[in-house]
Amino acid sequence: MSILIKPVITEKATTDSELHSRYTFEVNPGSNKIEIKNAVEAAYGVSVIKVRTMNVRPDRNTKFTKSGMITGKTSGYKKAIVQVAEGDVIDFYSNI
């Protein structure tokens, strides 16, 4: 079971990482803060100071088409914001 699914790369997350050394990941919904901390330290070789988690709710939408009204829903997921030590940096683009 993998703890870290993928990094979240948005404009807000990138600004947060540049200014405050906080990185955002999509994580396994069954994982806790200690498991997330150990996974980030093992994967990227940084020291983690703080981990904050949140469950992102699914978005629901409705479309009116020729065939009628269609409803849909995205899946919910768990997101973790990880703050690393002052001099540590995680480079997501090194493998490209």
Side-chain angles (χ1 to χ4, degrees):
M1 176 172 85
S2 178
I3 304 294
L4 300 176
I5 297 173
K6 64 180 180 179
V8 175
I9 300 177
T10 59
E11 187 173 349
K12 185 175 182 179
T14 305
T15 304
D16 209 22
S17 67
E18 291 171 353
L19 297 178
H20 304 292
S21 299
R22 291 191 293 237
Y23 298 92
T24 307
F25 295 94
E26 184 177 335
V27 296
N28 187 350
S31 60
N32 59 21
K33 292 182 180 185
I34 297 169
E35 292 172 344
I36 295 168
K37 177 182 176 181
N38 293 334
V40 170
E41 287 177 347
Y44 296 104
V46 295
S47 59
V48 175
I49 296 173
K50 183 193 243 181
V51 177
R52 293 182 292 172
T53 61
M54 63 191 78
N55 289 315
V56 179
R57 64 174 168 77
D59 289 332
R60 300 178 191 281
N61 58 2
T62 305
K63 296 176 186 175
F64 297 99
T65 62
K66 288 181 183 178
S67 60
M69 189 169 68
I70 299 173
T71 59
K73 175 179 96 150
T74 61
S75 60
Y77 60 95
K78 188 170 188 176
K79 184 165 69 169
I81 299 173
V82 177
Q83 184 168 1
V84 299
E86 190 66 33
D88 292 339
V89 176
I90 296 175
D91 188 17
F92 294 130
Y93 304 108
S94 63
N95 296 338
I96 299 176

